[in-house]
Amino acid sequence: MPSPTEPTYLRPAIATAFVSAFSGLLVTCVFVSFGWLQNRSDSFGGVIEGGVRAWLVSHGSGITAQGVQVAAIPLGATMLVIALMFWVTLKILEDPLEEVGPFIAIVAGTYGVLAGALSLATTGDDYSTNLVRSAIGGFLVAAIGSGIGVAVRNGGLATLISAMRLPAGLFPAGNAEVKVVVRASSRGIAALLAPALAIVIILFALHIDRASDLWASLSPGTLGSIGLAGVCLMLIPNLVLWTASVLIGPGFALGTDTSVDLTGSHLGAVPGLPILASLPGPGEFAGWVFLLGLIPLAAGAFAGWHVKPVAARSQLSHIGLGAASGALAGLACGVLIALSGGSVGPGRMADAGPPPVTPALVAIAVLALGGAIGAALGHYRVTRAHNSPVARPHLWSRHKSPSID
């Protein structure tokens, strides 16, 4: 009787999980060691434990330090962990992969178990991380990072979607519609988050003196400056998503009875991190700031505009795909915004960031409406070009002879 053969994806999947975990732990331990070298108030074993806890926090575990609970996720660190998983996946997978689903499941499962085990091993009386959040966060981070890596290795996201073989009855036109919606929604996400990033950069530049004063007040020293700069960089994605929540409407809080939205800023004392100098000063905003509330609608329209018209598709179907693209972009942004908040300290600082659900609900509705508008305009543009013998649908094609696009 022939012995069963080992699946070809098994060893690469396990190797991807272990190499990614070890690499991430190495980076966080080195990062934590900068603070240790500054004062050496702890043993080197404490540095290793601190590095492990920092690695777990980057996966969303949260941490309780001497009775103070911090549940917020530094999303910049999470993005770095995902990028590391992506890079390791590309290095280990030399050829395109056929068993996409099982590979991602093994990587994510193994990585999640490692994260849970390390959370349990580093739990003590003074410091602890949440075991369940560590395991779930590790699973999701590994699934996203390895999934992106497999998609690139297999020739792109469209190829990965085809390889997943979604049920034929789920979409009338099969996976082709899924590809259209996913591609267009990615444009909508970028169109919403890019202006939010620009606003954060502009506000930080305007308040650079305040940031310098905060930095000087902390007196971090040479090695401490590296750690402080790293913490500030890791929080930039959180601030971008908080700004996106302001553009969508609900805004965010940074402490009890505080708020920032399109009407104005009502903040009390905030943590003394230099990056938080980018927060707007207290008071009502100028009336023109309300115009920034049109950015989410424009982002949805941008997504709908990039739903490429197809001759066999009716106008109603085309508009529906545009609305679906905007809704998916809104859902993705809403989930990210929900992950960007959480408690950052005791007392009044237990409430920081946007509300967990409202931004997603508003973003789905607004971006879906924008997606429908953008798709309708795109369909009209192409239809008008096809019906006119002299129309040129693209401004950059005016040097060409008249033709049907």
Side-chain angles (χ1 to χ4, degrees), residues 193-211 236 239-240 243 247 275-281 288-289 292 295:
L193 297 185
L197 174 60
I199 292 173
V200 171
I201 293 173
I202 292 172
L203 288 175
F204 186 79
L206 292 175
H207 301 151
I208 191 67
D209 292 338
R210 186 195 304 173
I236 290 177
L239 293 178
V240 171
T243 305
L247 297 177
I275 190 62
L276 295 182
S278 60
L279 294 175
W288 64 265
V289 173
L292 297 178
I295 290 178

Side-chain angles (χ1 to χ4, degrees), residues 100-121:
V100 173
F103 174 83
I104 296 176
I106 295 297
V107 172
T110 304
Y111 197 89
V113 170
L114 285 174
L118 289 173
S119 174
L120 188 63

Side-chain angles (χ1 to χ4, degrees), residues 348-378:
R348 63 181 297 272
M349 299 312 296
D351 182 19
V357 178
T358 311
L361 297 178
V362 177
I364 291 173
V366 173
L367 270 75
L369 176 60
I373 294 173
L377 293 175

Side-chain angles (χ1 to χ4, degrees), residues 39 70 228 291 366 387:
N39 52 35
V70 177
L228 180 58
L291 295 176
V366 173
N387 292 336

Side-chain angles (χ1 to χ4, degrees), residues 121-136:
T122 55
T123 295
D125 295 333
D126 295 331
Y127 298 92
S128 63
T129 51
N130 188 289
L131 172 62
V132 176
R133 287 184 56 170
S134 298
I136 295 177

Side-chain angles (χ1 to χ4, degrees), residues 192-193 196 239-251 296 333 337 359:
L192 177 59
L193 297 185
L239 293 178
V240 171
L241 290 167
W242 292 8
T243 305
S245 181
V246 172
L247 297 177
I248 293 169
C333 291
I337 290 172

Side-chain angles (χ1 to χ4, degrees), residues 2-328:
S3 58
T5 58
E6 180 183 282
T8 57
Y9 59 82
L10 184 59
R11 291 189 182 183
I14 295 176
T16 299
F18 274 92
V19 172
S20 299
F22 176 78
S23 302
L25 287 167
L26 181 62
V27 171
T28 54
C29 287
V30 169
F31 181 77
V32 171
S33 69
F34 290 132
W36 177 75
L37 291 172
Q38 185 75 20
N39 52 35
R40 302 195 180 186
S41 59
D42 198 358
S43 65
F44 188 73
V47 174
I48 301 299
E49 288 188 1
V52 173
R53 294 190 187 103
W55 181 78
L56 292 170
V57 168
S58 69
H59 293 71
S61 68
I63 188 169
T64 301
Q66 297 179 344
V68 177
Q69 185 177 13
V70 177
I73 305 172
L75 292 178
T78 307
M79 292 171 62
L80 287 179
V81 173
I82 292 175
L84 180 61
M85 173 67 72
F86 162 73
W87 181 78
V88 172
T89 303
L90 285 182
K91 291 298 180 181
I92 291 180
L93 292 180
E94 298 179 353
D95 302 310
L97 189 68
E98 293 183 1
E99 301 89 349
V100 173
F103 174 83
I104 296 176
I106 295 297
V107 172
T110 304
Y111 197 89
V113 170
L114 285 174
L118 289 173
S119 174
L120 188 63
T122 55
T123 295
D125 295 333
D126 295 331
Y127 298 92
S128 63
T129 51
N130 188 289
L131 172 62
V132 176
R133 287 184 56 170
S134 298
I136 295 177
F139 181 91
L140 294 176
V141 164
I144 294 171
S146 61
I148 298 173
V150 172
V152 172
R153 180 60 70 205
N154 280 22
L157 183 60
T159 305
L160 179 63
I161 292 174
S162 299
M164 293 175 67
R165 298 182 180 88
L166 297 177
L170 188 59
F171 294 93
N175 289 344
E177 291 186 351
V178 181
K179 298 176 188 177
V180 168
V181 170
V182 170
R183 284 172 175 167
S185 66
S186 64
R187 310 277 185 120
I189 296 171
L192 177 59
L193 297 185
L197 174 60
I199 292 173
V200 171
I201 293 173
I202 292 172
L203 288 175
F204 186 79
L206 292 175
H207 301 151
I208 191 67
D209 292 338
R210 186 195 304 173
S212 299
D213 293 340
L214 289 172
W215 189 283
S217 66
L218 294 174
S219 301
T222 303
L223 293 174
S225 295
I226 299 175
L228 180 58
V231 171
C232 290
L233 289 174
M234 295 304 102
L235 293 177
I236 290 177
N238 296 70
L239 293 178
V240 171
L241 290 167
W242 292 8
T243 305
S245 181
V246 172
L247 297 177
I248 293 169
F252 66 89
L254 191 56
T256 306
D257 298 326
T258 68
S259 65
V260 177
D261 52 34
L262 288 177
T263 63
S265 174
H266 310 281
L267 291 177
V270 300
L273 287 173
I275 190 62
L276 295 182
S278 60
L279 294 175
E284 294 185 358
F285 297 150
W288 64 265
V289 173
F290 270 102
L291 295 176
L292 297 178
L294 296 175
I295 290 178
L297 185 66
F302 188 71
W305 180 267
H306 283 87
V307 175
K308 186 177 180 181
V310 176
R313 187 185 300 151
S314 66
Q315 181 179 9
L316 185 60
S317 175
H318 185 72
I319 294 175
L321 288 179
S325 300
L328 181 59

